[in-house]
Amino acid sequence: MKISVQPGDFDVGVEIKNISKNNSIGAVASFVGLVRDVAMTLEHYPGMTERAIAKIVDEAKARWQVIDCAVIHRYGALQPNDQIVMVAVASGHRGDAFAACEFIMDYLKTQAPFWKKEHTPGGAQWVEAKAVDDQAAERWK
Amino acid sequence: MKVRVLYFAGIREKLGRDAEDLVLPAGVGTVAELRVHLRGRGDAWAEALDEGKLLRAAVNQDMAHPTAAIKAGDEVAFFPPVTGG
């Protein structure tokens, strides 16, 4: 199980290999989020962020078979096309791996304390939370 | 009762501070009461913590409802709805 909140980039291939070292694993599902269009700075709440992600992973483990997983989220200055976040879930079968991966991502968007500030030519502004993200998390209830 | 209060993102910028240790007066025992108390400082505080603003709070690094109780030594944080991922 790996949870990391870090300024630096990550290698999805390496992370997937690291969570696949168990003979009972038959499926690994992963998601990678990238910066679209504009540069941004990501702020977070050190301590609470890791704790919130750990709680989301625990919730996923209570619902699906999660043999291992990796959740990495970056903070600091990011440029268009940079990787921001990755979630990878290793399970016995693909159904659990897909569902747990999507669940972790949906909850992360509404529960983990990160804030994006976009740097546009017109100035910097904080990104507003989207109702569609709340709805995505709600459907798992 | 002494608590640590943290501010993040747009709220931190509006208030010009990221943290403070605060002695709460009697009658301030929940997240909502603390928000009202801080708003009483006026100006940027009244604006950033305005009733109409959609804010989130955490107590000891767990998301907390406005009715959540605050005890001495707690860490309370105010921030806008999150936008990570």
Side-chain angles (χ1 to χ4, degrees):
Chain A
M1 205 70 54
K2 173 173 177 175
I3 292 170
S4 176
V5 181
Q6 60 188 48
D9 200 10
F10 48 81
D11 182 327
V12 184
V14 169
E15 301 303 332
I16 288 178
K17 271 205 185 78
N18 286 342
I19 61 161
S20 307
K21 295 173 176 168
N22 179 322
N23 288 345
S24 56
I25 293 167
V28 177
S30 65
F31 170 86
V32 179
L34 306 178
V35 177
R36 239 189 334 258
D37 304 330
V38 285
M40 59 172 67
T41 306
L42 264 140
E43 177 173 335
H44 80 114
Y45 181 170
M48 180 176 169
T49 313
E50 293 82 352
R51 188 179 160 84
I53 296 171
K55 282 171 73 179
I56 296 164
V57 168
D58 282 347
E59 178 73 27
K61 285 165 81 175
R63 292 173 179 230
W64 298 282
Q65 184 200 36
V66 175
I67 297 172
D68 205 349
C69 78
V71 181
I72 302 176
H73 202 302
R74 296 176 67 188
Y75 65 90
L78 295 171
Q79 301 302 318
N81 209 238
D82 278 354
Q83 303 186 116
I84 307 182
V85 59
M86 71 156 281
V87 175
V89 176
S91 186
H93 301 277
R94 72 180 184 285
D96 281 37
F98 274 132
C101 183
E102 191 169 22
F103 170 88
I104 290 170
M105 201 52 224
D106 281 350
Y107 265 61
L108 196 147
K109 291 210 70 118
T110 59
Q111 300 296 312
F114 287 99
W115 302 276
K116 287 182 182 134
K117 188 179 207 181
E118 290 184 339
H119 301 283
T120 61
Q125 55 191 26
W126 293 99
V127 173
E128 298 263 340
K130 294 189 188 78
V132 64
D133 289 332
D134 282 330
Q135 288 153 14
E138 278 294 318
R139 74 201 158 100
W140 296 100
K141 287 196 170 151
Chain B
M1 176 164 89
K2 199 170 156 190
V3 296
R4 178 113 182 123
V5 190
L6 308 181
Y7 310 99
F8 290 93
I11 296 177
R12 171 179 56 74
E13 285 185 346
K14 272 196 199 107
L15 300 177
R17 74 173 67 175
D18 57 9
E20 63 182 311
D21 289 311
L22 202 60
V23 177
L24 301 184
V28 178
T30 66
V31 168
E33 286 161 4
L34 175 57
R35 185 170 166 178
V36 171
H37 174 66
L38 291 170
R39 217 155 49 212
R41 288 171 169 174
D43 302 328
W45 296 85
E47 193 192 316
L49 303 172
D50 183 77
E51 223 173 334
K53 284 245 162 62
L54 199 55
L55 291 192
R56 299 281 185 262
V59 175
N60 298 328
Q61 306 191 351
D62 280 321
M63 288 285 190
H65 288 288
T67 54
I70 300 169
K71 326 179 290 304
D74 279 354
E75 177 177 297
V76 185
F78 290 101
F79 43 81
V82 303
T83 56

